[in-house]
Amino acid sequence: MKINIKKILAKRKESSAANAGFIGGCVAGIITAVFSLITLILNKDLFFQELNSFIGKYGITIPSETIWILSLAVIPPIIILVYSIVGIFLGSFFDRFKRKNSIIVLSLSIIVGLGWGLITDLPASRLGIVIVNLFAWLSFGIVFIALDKRKGN
């Protein structure tokens, strides 16, 4: 199965709701990416502990410091990209409804935030990860509602 990111991102031009979802997803992604970056920087020792157990198991020859620097450079943009794509899909989903109820949008945003919080793996407490994701996706809902209402939907 081939995934065409360019095609997925082009979906945001199809409707104002998909575009609002894209922008909201970017906001949620930036919040989570900043949290991830700070978490990786503050918990460098924990990162290396987990990495060393992985390296010991699979015998990776790349220096640990290089992997850490690459993680700092790659993880935040990937988070923003993935969250923006999820935002497009949520915006497209919300676009199916003639009248978008703010409570439903915020409720589904919180559910998505809870889901992301439970599957995200960072060297931080699970509660902290869940709280940040709930806040990020609640921010998505607020941005989505504000942009979608501005478009007159």
Side-chain angles (χ1 to χ4, degrees), residues 122-139:
L122 287 169
S125 73
R126 177 63 49 203
L127 180 62
I129 294 169
V130 169
I131 288 171
V132 168
N133 273 281
L134 285 172
F135 174 73
W137 284 100
L138 185 61
S139 299

Side-chain angles (χ1 to χ4, degrees), residues 78-134:
I78 288 175
I79 290 171
I80 295 169
L81 177 66
V82 169
Y83 278 40
S84 67
I85 291 170
V86 172
I88 290 170
F89 287 131
L90 275 177
S92 296
F93 174 74
F94 293 142
D95 198 29
R96 294 178 183 214
F97 303 105
K98 291 198 186 292
R99 180 165 149 69
K100 295 167 194 77
N101 186 332
S102 298
I103 293 171
I104 292 173
V105 170
L106 292 175
S107 299
L108 285 174
S109 298
I110 290 171
I111 291 169
V112 170
L114 180 63
W116 277 109
L118 293 174
I119 65 170
T120 301
D121 187 26
L122 287 169
S125 73
R126 177 63 49 203
L127 180 62
I129 294 169
V130 169
I131 288 171
V132 168
N133 273 281
L134 285 172

